Amino acid sequence: MEEYLIILFRTLLLYLLILVIFRLMGKREIGELSILDFVVYIMIAEMASLSIENTEDPLINTLLPIIILVIIQITLALLSLKSKKFRDVVDGKPTVIINNGKIDEQEMKAQRYNFDDLLLQLREKDVGNIADVEFAILEPSGKLSIFQKNQGSQSGGQQDNGSLALPLIIDGEIQEDNLTLIDKNKEWLLEQLKKKGHYDPGKISFCSYQNGKFYVDLIDHEST
């Protein structure tokens, strides 16, 4: 009877602890977890399971490594918030697989992503023909984001061409890879921003470009 009470106590304690831990780590869907998040969650779940089964082991032997993992994970998350480069290293960054209807085979090879994977994920989004795709972006989670040609709603008698809103600045850092996708460079971006009264890209938290229009959000939450 005593052993069952110990199992009950450990189960409730670890359940509450894991619930608090997951709340501290933030709200993210399972499909949006990074590889690092997923590994940490698996490790915590495995250690909790072993602790419930092995009632003779001191509970601190389980709690200590779990707490250490949580501290590491939260520290990495805070560093990721402050640094786009660090975020790209830890979580990875999106990869453009199809750009303006053209498949980038080199990026597919670099991501070890084959045509079977591509066609499967297109079918899951009810896209039966690659020719209908303007942009396809492989997200760090492995999810494929698809933008079809001529998608969008009617506005003022003209149809949105479905072009992708590319982020050109994130956390004050210019995204030169995305500038290359639209055949532009850093000098062009800085000149366009100056025309709008923004002289320091380091003060911009997010800037995107779509159909010739800019969206700019400043770090102090002002927007234009």
Side-chain angles (χ1 to χ4, degrees), residues 149-162 211:
K149 295 178 180 178
N150 298 321
Q151 80 179 71
S153 58
Q154 297 287 344
S155 177
Q158 293 183 343
Q159 186 174 6
D160 188 348
N161 63 12
N211 298 330

Side-chain angles (χ1 to χ4, degrees), residues 68-133:
I68 292 174
L69 279 175
V70 172
I71 293 174
I72 293 173
Q73 187 70 358
I74 292 176
T75 302
L76 292 178
L78 292 175
L79 290 174
S80 294
L81 287 175
K82 295 183 178 181
S83 172
K84 175 69 167 58
K85 292 180 180 179
F86 183 82
R87 188 159 64 242
D88 288 342
V89 171
V90 174
D91 293 336
K93 60 182 180 178
T95 302
V96 178
I97 299 298
I98 299 177
N99 180 13
N100 285 319
K102 176 68 175 67
I103 300 173
D104 192 331
E105 291 88 355
Q106 295 302 319
E107 284 294 345
M108 289 181 65
K109 290 179 181 178
Q111 299 299 321
R112 293 177 292 280
Y113 187 79
N114 58 50
F115 277 97
D116 289 335
D117 297 328
L118 176 60
L119 293 173
L120 171 63
Q121 292 191 293
L122 287 175
R123 289 194 298 270
E124 289 177 343
K125 295 294 183 66
D126 297 323
V127 178
N129 192 346
I130 292 180
D132 296 332
V133 179

Side-chain angles (χ1 to χ4, degrees), residues 132-150:
D132 296 332
V133 179
E134 183 176 14
F135 288 97
I137 302 174
L138 186 63
E139 307 292 354
S141 64
K143 177 182 177 182
L144 189 70
S145 298
I146 300 167
F147 299 83
Q148 297 187 57
K149 295 178 180 178
N150 298 321

Side-chain angles (χ1 to χ4, degrees), residues 140-189:
S141 64
K143 177 182 177 182
L144 189 70
S145 298
I146 300 167
F147 299 83
Q148 297 187 57
K149 295 178 180 178
N150 298 321
Q151 80 179 71
S153 58
Q154 297 287 344
S155 177
Q158 293 183 343
Q159 186 174 6
D160 188 348
N161 63 12
S163 296
L164 175 64
L166 289 172
L168 302 183
I169 297 178
I170 299 177
D171 293 336
E173 296 182 10
I174 295 175
Q175 308 300 300
E176 298 196 30
D177 289 345
N178 289 340
L179 282 170
T180 301
L181 290 176
I182 58 175
D183 296 322
K184 304 294 183 182
N185 54 36
K186 181 178 179 180
E187 290 70 26
W188 170 84
L189 175 61

